[in-house]
Amino acid sequence: MTERALTRPALAYGDVRLSRFDPLPRILFFDDFDNGANGWCELIGNHDGDLDKVRPVVSDMRPPQISSVSFWDIGTHGSIDGTYALKLATRPRANHMSLAIKRLTYVKPGLVQFETYFTFKSEAWIGARPDHQSGYDGNVDPSVFDFGDFTIGNDVCDREGGRRYHCALRYQNTDHAGNLTRNWQYKTSLQTTTKMEFSGRPAVSDYHVSDPGDWADVPGGHQPLCYNEIPTKINWHYLRYVFDTEAGRNVELQVNDKVMDLRNIAVPAYDHGYWGLDRLMNFCIDVRTHKPVRNFLFLDSVVVSVDW
Amino acid sequence: MLRRSFTAVIERNVDFATGFVCEPYETGWAIEARWFVNILAADPAAVLAITAEVSPDGLAWCPHEAAPVERSGPGLMTLPITNVGPWGRLSFSVRGAESVRGICYLTLKG
């Protein structure tokens, strides 16, 4: 924990659930998913009322679910406290992504910190292992190869017509060739918007970037997470992500004991302005499968805080 | 405290044909549920029947006790659910045409 945490007794917040977080001075929101979805909703691409015109990559990002984190073999796993977590679920289709968004604007530019406890899994099955599941040795479970990646990010616009950018940090569990990589990555190209496609840019297959290969490894970003052997055991991980809406950049990513300095990582910004997005500040989380197997991302709770 | 409610768009502009089942959705927190299907395009002779299904784990499924609902032609149809269960999905069958096109909603309250 940081020096700031040492000066803040847990009970000073008046809510002991906050003692496992390390927020900046002002908490913007605290989402305990035992109380509902708290404004996290499905992202859909822009349209004119005809949903057939929504770009395919943003046409089917799935509604988030309030989940008891239950499995066929043991029943309810539950969240850290209470019963429910927020769940994102892909379809069982290769390259399908589920993305949830929470939309705010901001009062002052500066540091914004997103904290959560999360876990992830690919979908279990009942009975004999599927063909692609050979190689189980009682500890290493091939189901880990069924999980693709998950991403945390934002959508920030300073002023109407002004600087706009998306930060995105992806945990790549497996690459498209099916190799277990387990690296944190950052994106190196712009997210193609509806406006850009209207202007003739090609359609994309990865929501975040122009080309699926436009990702680079975060320096020092290799991190085996706690998969815990089979697809029906989950373990919660702490994540703290800081970005700066003054500088327009990532600042830091902490996942359990690993802290990654992101200040020198370039964040692509649009060379054209957008109408109607004054002080836009959206938070985004997503999960993507590389196989015809549903992938899940669970959030126990979220705290977002700022330095003003 | 007001009760929680949530509307999930489970399928969007999809061609529903016999044998189609929608994506599963967790409903364990809800006391009551109501499915809606807005049929956007259908042959006038087409009849769509929807049946609610439930599951303890999102993997194995059986029919819910609620009676199936039918509708012919475009328009909105609904199927209310009590004793909701941990997971829900909707099963579709069509007669008089190969398929109908529509949007499937699940509304939850609890």
Side-chain angles (χ1 to χ4, degrees):
Chain A
M1 285 296 165
T2 65
E3 182 178 341
R4 187 173 63 252
L6 298 175
T7 63
R8 289 183 175 210
L11 292 177
Y13 297 118
D15 188 334
V16 72
R17 292 172 300 170
L18 285 167
S19 67
R20 59 175 176 263
F21 295 98
D22 188 20
L24 298 173
R26 187 184 304 275
I27 293 175
L28 273 186
F29 54 85
F30 170 31
D31 297 336
D32 181 341
F33 298 109
D34 283 299
N35 296 322
N38 284 286
W40 291 92
C41 62
E42 179 180 357
L43 175 69
I44 190 170
N46 297 341
H47 59 83
D48 62 359
D50 179 358
L51 296 181
D52 287 335
K53 295 179 181 175
V54 178
R55 295 183 297 143
V57 75
V58 283
S59 66
D60 184 30
M61 293 189 139
R62 311 309 303 156
Q65 307 180 41
I66 299 301
S67 169
S68 60
V69 197
S70 295
F71 299 98
W72 70 274
D73 54 353
I74 62 113
T76 295
H77 216 303
S79 53
I80 293 178
D81 55 17
T83 301
Y84 298 108
L86 189 77
K87 181 176 89 173
L88 304 186
T90 70
R91 288 185 186 269
R93 187 173 74 219
N95 204 42
H96 184 264
M97 172 187 282
S98 172
L99 187 149
I101 187 169
K102 180 159 176 164
R103 297 185 169 102
L104 279 80
T105 54
Y106 62 93
V107 175
K108 292 180 182 177
L111 297 181
V112 181
Q113 178 172 277
F114 176 102
E115 293 174 275
T116 187
Y117 283 81
F118 72 92
T119 191
F120 62 101
K121 281 294 177 184
S122 53
E123 189 166 56
W125 61 91
I126 300 174
R129 281 183 175 270
D131 291 341
H132 59 87
Q133 288 287 344
S134 59
Y136 176 60
D137 70 357
N139 168 231
V140 178
D141 191 306
S143 68
V144 71
F145 293 98
D146 286 348
F147 190 88
D149 56 59
F150 64 88
T151 302
I152 178 171
N154 64 20
D155 182 359
V156 177
C157 185
D158 295 344
R159 290 291 183 193
E160 185 167 279
R163 180 180 60 176
R164 184 186 182 194
Y165 54 91
H166 296 82
C167 299
L169 295 160
R170 169 171 285 173
Y171 182 75
Q172 185 193 58
N173 183 63
T174 56
D175 62 20
H176 282 286
N179 301 302
L180 193 65
T181 52
R182 299 188 291 182
N183 283 324
W184 287 99
Q185 298 184 316
Y186 63 91
K187 74 197 200 88
T188 59
S189 65
L190 288 168
Q191 178 194 118
T192 298
T193 64
T194 302
K195 175 178 176 174
M196 289 164 69
E197 272 204 26
F198 265 54
S199 303
R201 293 289 293 269
V204 296
S205 60
D206 183 336
Y207 163 74
H208 292 285
V209 289
S210 304
D211 182 273
D214 291 344
W215 294 87
D217 291 342
V218 171
H222 179 67
Q223 187 177 28
L225 298 178
C226 181
Y227 183 76
N228 199 349
E229 301 187 310
I230 63 172
T232 56
K233 295 179 179 177
I234 60 100
N235 292 71
W236 299 101
H237 297 69
Y238 174 67
L239 181 149
R240 183 178 64 86
Y241 166 52
V242 184
F243 59 93
D244 184 345
T245 58
E246 177 79 51
R249 67 180 183 190
N250 300 295
V251 176
E252 196 170 70
L253 176 65
Q254 176 182 352
V255 183
N256 283 347
D257 59 330
K258 179 178 281 292
V259 179
M260 291 158 272
D261 185 344
L262 309 174
R263 290 172 180 82
N264 294 322
I265 289 175
V267 174
Y270 294 94
D271 62 3
H272 52 275
Y274 284 82
W275 174 86
L277 302 183
D278 197 89
R279 300 280 187 179
L280 177 90
M281 184 169 68
N282 294 339
F283 300 87
C284 304
I285 52 173
D286 68 65
V287 60
R288 186 175 63 150
T289 182
H290 298 168
K291 291 187 173 180
V293 178
R294 289 187 184 90
N295 281 192
F296 306 125
L297 179 68
F298 300 90
L299 305 185
D300 167 81
S301 46
V302 171
V303 171
V304 167
S305 54
V306 294
D307 69 348
W308 50 267
Chain B
M1 174 68 81
L2 293 172
R3 295 167 70 182
R4 278 78 175 181
S5 65
F6 195 87
T7 298
V9 183
I10 303 294
E11 303 290 346
R12 187 181 287 120
N13 283 29
V14 165
D15 293 324
F16 301 124
T18 296
F20 181 91
V21 290
C22 72
E23 277 294 290
Y25 197 82
E26 289 207 37
T27 52
W29 63 270
I31 303 298
E32 59 184 78
R34 181 176 286 275
W35 290 97
F36 291 94
V37 176
N38 189 1
I39 303 172
L40 303 172
D43 186 289
V47 177
L48 172 65
I50 55 174
T51 303
E53 297 185 346
V54 289
S55 169
D57 50 26
L59 297 172
W61 295 89
C62 64
H64 188 274
E65 294 83 357
V69 171
E70 289 189 355
R71 180 187 171 91
S72 59
L76 189 65
M77 61 195 300
T78 185
L79 174 55
I81 300 291
T82 54
N83 299 314
V84 175
W87 262 270
R89 72 178 185 184
L90 209 53
S91 172
F92 295 75
S93 65
V94 178
R95 64 178 190 271
E98 190 166 319
S99 64
V100 301
R101 189 167 180 78
I103 305 177
C104 173
Y105 302 87
L106 176 59
T107 63
L108 301 162
K109 185 181 291 184

